């Protein structure tokens, strides 16, 4: 048993801002969000081995220039591994109709494994990792205030169709902001219940009901704590005269510089390359 | 009091988030010894590592460097019976009322004993025993809902939930923080009773020096992750130089006596207990009358 058995916060990279003052940190948040969206779309569409390995290398390179240790990205991937594995198995077994092209390796009953379905599995796993890396770089290099302002000003045109842009941005900020807080609360709760004899994740996996019951002592108090926190937040906001729907000015004014445009252009070119270049594999 | 300590910590160190950019050394070298039946206070400023230290006592954290030995068992031993250890050392977290999750008080207190796999009769006896110990009537309250309780009562329920494990050592992190004066006093009396009548070894963290003076037989002072000094309340509160040097607060009785001494009255600073301090003040008044 590792000595950090209960160190939940160790694996949570979302909502943690790591100020290193790098080039990426200094980019305009709107540009960063836009570039992020473009890259994620390109990665989600790109379906070649080579393309995805290049994209993964690119994501690692982003860690390098933002001076954030790559171990941060890896610890974000770790909790997703079971999910990636289950997805891989499901795709291998049930997606054969969609990806039935290429060489046939196994054709046994309903199981049909082809070079195309294997590609689908590997490429999906790579995509997953790329996108986790990319989101980690984004949230680790951008403070939540910046993210909110970015989202708010990017979505600004939607105001014309009565979309509650400001409220939407606020909800996202609060959600991101409280991820580490709840991880801390959950860590404390797990420790407190373990002190009373609770065990987590030790029962056999097929005893689903038992294992579900095991999490009640954490989930229920956590829910209470979340309610209490929400109430505190409402009080704090009202005490500072927050009025929903009223006109608000922004303290930070963003003005994109030439580096911002250069970075955006670079990301667009990279996305075009990923999508348009005829990679051999 | 036996010769061998029931709990011993030797040069314990702990680093949070080791090998990440957020790494932080919370314990830089703590050593302490607690003997069977003692009542020990751990004091120190916020962030000095008190909570980190006590989480080592029941194996929630394992020693990264240094040793923790509880009742002869080394915590670094990978084959350690961790469930057994958590039964032996009952840990009550800060604001423990947050951890209540059952609808009925009795059910919540029974959680620990049920997890131990005890027969129902025994569980029931333990719940009754624990509730009565903290001054909650078993018959009246066991079937009441938990969310309708006052803050002080909730904390007692949480304490009873740990007591129901019948620990040999009871560890409490700031047990009275945020309680109203009456609940505070009741809780302190519960702790005294557990220590004296039930012979539980008690280790508690506190910022309240009156409380420390009232309960503790010995005090450990923590600062920056290491223990500075250790001694009886008399040694520590009676020594103005140590108090000033390490920025330790003192009970109000000590402060009054210090002020009197500064004014030139002949008082004994070691008389920190209320009765003793009263005697000192009375003697000052009498000398004044004469
Ligand atoms: N889960 C954690 N992750 C990282 N650092 C922590 C964690 N818990 C506590 N710390 C840090 O360790 C130091 C000691 O904390 P703690 O043991 O809670 O002190 P105390 O209980 O004396 O106030 C503090 O500086 C705190 O910020
Ligand atoms: Mg603490």
């Amino acid at each position: 048993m590792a000595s950090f058995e209960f160190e939940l916060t160790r694996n949570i990279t979302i909502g943690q801002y790591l100020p290193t003052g790098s080039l990426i940190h200094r980019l305009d948040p709107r540009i960063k969000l836009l570039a992020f969206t473009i890259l994620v779309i390109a990665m989600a569409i790109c379906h070649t081995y080579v393309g995805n390995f290049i994209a993964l290398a690119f994501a690692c390179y982003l860690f390098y220039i933002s001076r954030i240790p790559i171990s941060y990205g890896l610890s974000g991937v770790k909790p997703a591994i079971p999910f990636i594995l289950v997805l891989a198995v499901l795709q291998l077994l049930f997606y054969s109709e969609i990806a039935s092209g290429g060489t046939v390796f196994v054709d046994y009953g309903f199981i049909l494994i082809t070079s195309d379905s294997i590609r689908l599995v590997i490429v999906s796993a790579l995509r997953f990792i790329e996108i986790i890396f990319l989101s980690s770089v984004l949230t680790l290099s951008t403070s939540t205030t910046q993210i909110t302002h970015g989202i708010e000003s990017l979505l600004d045109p939607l105001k014309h169709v009565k979309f509650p842009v400001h409220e939407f941005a606020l909800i996202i900020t609060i959600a991101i902001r409280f991820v580490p807080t709840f991880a801390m609360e959950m860590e404390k709760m797990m420790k407190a219940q373990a002190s009373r004899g609770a065990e987590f994740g030790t029962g056999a996996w097929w005893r689903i009901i038992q294992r579900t019951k095991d999490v009640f002592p954490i989930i229920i108090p956590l829910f209470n704590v979340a309610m209490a926190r929400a109430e505190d937040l409402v009080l704090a906001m009202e005490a500072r005269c927050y009025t929903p729907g009223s006109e608000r000015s922004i303290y930070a004014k963003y003005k994109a510089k030439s580096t911002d445009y250069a970075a955006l252009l670079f990301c667009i070119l990279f996305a075009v390359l990923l999508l348009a270049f005829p990679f051999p594999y | 009091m036996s010769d061998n300590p029931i709990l011993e910590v030797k040069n314990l160190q702990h680093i949070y988030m080791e090998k990440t950019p957020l790494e932080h050394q919370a314990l830089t070298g703590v050593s302490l010894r607690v003997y069977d039946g003692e009542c020990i206070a751990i004091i120190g400023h916020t962030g000095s590592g008190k909570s980190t230290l006590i989480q080592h006592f029941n194996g929630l954290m394992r020693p990264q460097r240094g040793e923790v030995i509880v009742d002869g068992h080394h915590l670094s031993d990978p084959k350690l019976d961790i469930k057994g250890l958590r039964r032996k050392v009952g840990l009550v977290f800060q604001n423990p009322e947050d951890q209540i999750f059952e609808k009925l008080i009795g059910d919540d207190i029974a959680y620990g004993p049920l997890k131990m796999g005890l027969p129902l009769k025994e569980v029931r006896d333990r719940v009754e025993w624990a509730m009565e110990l903290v001054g909650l009537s078993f018959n009246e309250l066991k079937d009441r809902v938990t969310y309708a309780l006052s803050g002080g009562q909730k904390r007692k329920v949480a304490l009873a939930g740990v007591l129901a494990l019948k620990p040999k050592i009871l560890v409490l992190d700031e047990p009275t923080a945020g309680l109203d004066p009456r609940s505070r006093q009741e809780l302190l009396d519960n702790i005294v009773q557990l220590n004296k009548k039930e012979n539980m070894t008690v280790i508690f963290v506190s910022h309240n020096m009156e409380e420390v003076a009232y309960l503790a037989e010995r005090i450990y002072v923590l600062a920056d992750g290491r223990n500075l000094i250790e001694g009886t309340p008399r040694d520590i509160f009676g020594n103005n130089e140590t108090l000033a040097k390490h920025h330790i607060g003192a009970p109000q009785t000590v402060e009054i006596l210090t002020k009197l001494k500064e004014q030139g009255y002949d008082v004994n600073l070691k008389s920190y207990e209320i009765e003793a301090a009263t005697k000192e003040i009375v003697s000052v008044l009498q000398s004044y009358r004469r």
Side-chain angles (χ1 to χ4, degrees):
Chain A
M1 200 182 331
S3 72
F4 46 81
E5 179 191 1
F6 292 105
E7 245 187 5
L8 290 185
T9 34
R10 174 181 276 273
N11 288 330
I12 293 194
T13 44
I14 295 176
Q16 270 185 11
Y17 175 55
L18 205 68
T20 64
S22 76
L23 173 70
I24 300 224
H25 285 71
R26 281 179 277 123
L27 285 180
D28 186 316
R30 294 170 300 175
I31 299 286
K32 259 194 273 190
L33 281 165
L34 211 56
F36 172 77
T37 317
I38 292 169
L39 287 174
V40 166
I41 292 172
M43 285 170 178
I45 296 175
C46 177
H47 59 275
T48 55
Y49 284 127
V50 177
N52 273 285
F53 275 113
I54 292 177
L56 188 61
F58 180 73
C60 294
Y61 177 65
L62 287 182
F63 272 98
Y64 174 74
I65 40 178
S66 58
R67 288 192 236 129
I68 296 167
I70 189 98
S71 58
Y72 260 80
L74 290 176
S75 58
V77 170
K78 221 188 289 168
I81 287 176
F83 188 71
I84 294 177
L85 287 181
V86 170
L87 191 73
V89 172
L90 290 181
Q91 282 177 331
L92 203 56
L93 293 182
F94 301 114
Y95 270 49
S96 46
E97 251 125 80
I98 301 165
S100 57
T103 332
V104 176
F105 292 126
V106 180
D107 188 356
Y108 182 82
F110 72 97
I111 301 174
L112 175 70
I113 296 177
T114 64
S115 60
D116 270 14
S117 64
I118 288 183
R119 174 205 299 274
L120 184 71
V121 166
I122 294 179
V123 164
S124 306
L126 284 175
R127 270 181 197 153
F128 225 95
I129 298 170
E130 287 154 21
I131 292 173
I132 291 174
F133 273 19
L134 219 54
S135 334
S136 300
V137 171
L138 178 72
T139 53
L140 286 165
S141 71
T142 323
S143 71
T144 37
T145 334
Q146 285 186 325
I147 291 186
T148 334
H149 288 159
I151 293 176
E152 205 170 339
S153 77
L154 281 181
L155 296 183
D156 204 52
L158 292 181
K159 270 187 186 148
H160 299 297
V161 290
K162 296 238 159 59
F163 183 80
V165 173
H166 171 69
E167 284 73 11
F168 182 73
L170 185 69
I171 290 170
I172 291 188
T173 327
I174 293 176
I176 296 178
R177 161 66 187 77
F178 278 93
V179 168
T181 310
F182 284 125
M184 285 290 250
E185 292 286 357
M186 182 152 159
E187 187 176 311
K188 188 195 149 191
M189 218 54 81
M190 285 175 75
K191 284 175 170 174
Q193 306 297 19
S195 301
R196 293 210 277 164
E199 281 176 292
F200 307 110
T202 49
W205 64 267
W206 64 85
R207 297 178 63 194
I208 295 172
I209 297 181
Q210 187 53 46
R211 290 197 62 167
T212 311
K213 274 190 185 159
D214 282 351
V215 299
F216 284 170
I218 308 172
I219 297 298
I220 295 170
L222 206 57
F223 206 77
N224 288 336
V225 170
M227 287 302 199
R229 291 258 180 189
E231 232 163 30
D232 289 348
L233 191 65
V234 169
L235 273 180
M237 284 168 73
E238 282 185 348
R240 292 171 205 181
C241 303
Y242 179 85
T243 325
S246 65
E247 190 68 25
R248 296 172 63 79
S249 57
I250 303 178
Y251 167 66
K253 288 262 184 269
Y254 297 106
K255 192 149 172 21
K257 300 179 297 290
S258 46
T259 21
D260 295 315
Y261 290 121
L264 184 62
L265 190 68
F266 180 67
C267 289
I268 293 174
L269 286 179
F270 184 78
V272 170
L273 173 88
L274 270 192
L275 295 181
F277 192 80
F279 293 111
Y281 291 103
Chain B
M1 206 187 286
S2 59
D3 290 341
N4 282 330
I6 191 164
L7 187 148
E8 187 169 15
V9 177
K10 290 185 199 161
N11 193 24
L12 182 67
Q13 304 187 15
H14 185 83
I15 304 177
Y16 276 109
M17 312 273 252
E18 204 174 3
K19 302 198 185 78
T20 74
L22 297 176
E23 110 174 354
H24 177 85
Q25 180 148 20
L27 297 179
T28 49
V30 177
S31 301
L32 52 85
R33 282 158 170 250
V34 177
Y35 295 91
D36 195 11
E38 274 192 305
C39 185
I40 302 288
I42 298 176
I43 62 175
H45 294 286
T46 307
S48 56
K50 306 177 297 292
S51 302
T52 310
L53 171 66
I54 61 170
Q55 285 174 36
H56 283 85
F57 295 169
N58 75 342
L60 287 173
M61 291 182 177
R62 303 287 190 111
Q64 288 174 344
R65 279 164 214 89
E67 277 182 85
V68 179
I69 307 161
V70 179
D71 209 10
H73 301 285
H74 285 254
L75 257 72
S76 5
D77 180 3
K79 292 195 293 286
L80 176 79
D81 168 22
I82 197 90
K83 285 182 84 175
L85 175 73
R86 292 198 182 140
R87 251 171 255 163
K88 200 175 289 171
V89 183
L91 180 57
V92 183
F93 268 78
Q94 207 171 337
N95 299 329
E97 54 277 12
D98 288 348
Q99 77 199 35
I100 296 171
F101 70 99
E102 287 281 8
K103 195 169 148 221
L104 303 180
I105 295 174
D107 290 348
D108 198 82
I109 299 173
Y111 177 73
L114 283 175
K115 276 277 160 193
M116 287 168 69
L118 296 173
L120 277 180
K121 166 87 177 60
E122 168 80 14
V123 172
R124 199 183 158 84
D125 287 350
R126 280 184 176 222
V127 172
E128 178 166 5
W129 175 80
M131 284 182 75
E132 299 292 343
L133 264 181
V134 297
L136 297 172
S137 159
F138 176 71
N139 289 325
E140 250 177 65
L141 291 172
K142 71 174 190 311
D143 295 324
R144 287 262 205 99
V145 287
T146 44
Y147 48 80
L149 294 173
S150 73
Q153 280 177 315
K154 272 191 192 165
R155 193 162 298 186
K156 285 180 178 179
V157 171
L159 175 59
V162 172
L163 290 176
L165 299 166
K166 297 210 170 173
K168 275 173 84 166
I169 307 176
L170 184 66
V171 184
L172 307 119
D173 198 351
E174 305 193 24
T176 60
L179 285 186
D180 58 290
R182 192 174 144 200
S183 307
R184 175 188 290 260
Q185 191 54 47
E186 283 172 4
L187 194 65
L188 292 180
D189 292 340
N190 291 156
I191 296 173
V192 171
Q193 207 190 5
L194 289 166
N195 181 235
K196 295 280 175 300
K197 290 228 181 81
E198 305 290 329
N199 285 323
M200 270 183 207
T201 308
V202 174
I203 303 171
F204 70 102
V205 171
S206 179
H207 284 294
N208 183 317
M209 294 305 143
E210 269 73 38
E211 212 168 278
V212 172
Y214 177 69
L215 288 179
E217 290 165 54
R218 279 195 302 127
I219 302 173
Y220 280 93
V221 184
L222 246 62
D224 297 325
R226 64 182 77 240
N227 48 334
L228 283 181
I229 41 169
E230 169 263 312
T232 61
R234 214 167 227 280
D235 294 338
I236 289 181
F237 294 137
N239 189 336
N240 262 340
E241 280 146 38
T242 342
L243 291 179
K245 192 171 136 211
H246 300 305
H247 309 284
I248 308 168
Q252 283 175 358
T253 48
V254 173
E255 280 171 20
I256 294 171
L257 293 177
T258 312
K259 289 261 154 61
L260 283 172
K261 186 145 194 155
E262 279 168 12
Q263 306 263 324
Y265 294 103
D266 178 31
V267 291
N268 183 1
L269 292 181
K270 291 194 187 293
S271 313
Y272 70 93
E273 282 152 316
I274 306 256
E275 288 78 21
T278 315
K279 267 193 201 134
E280 293 290 326
I281 295 169
V282 167
S283 80
V284 167
L285 288 174
Q286 278 171 344
S287 69
Y288 183 71
R289 219 175 4 188
R290 253 184 266 126

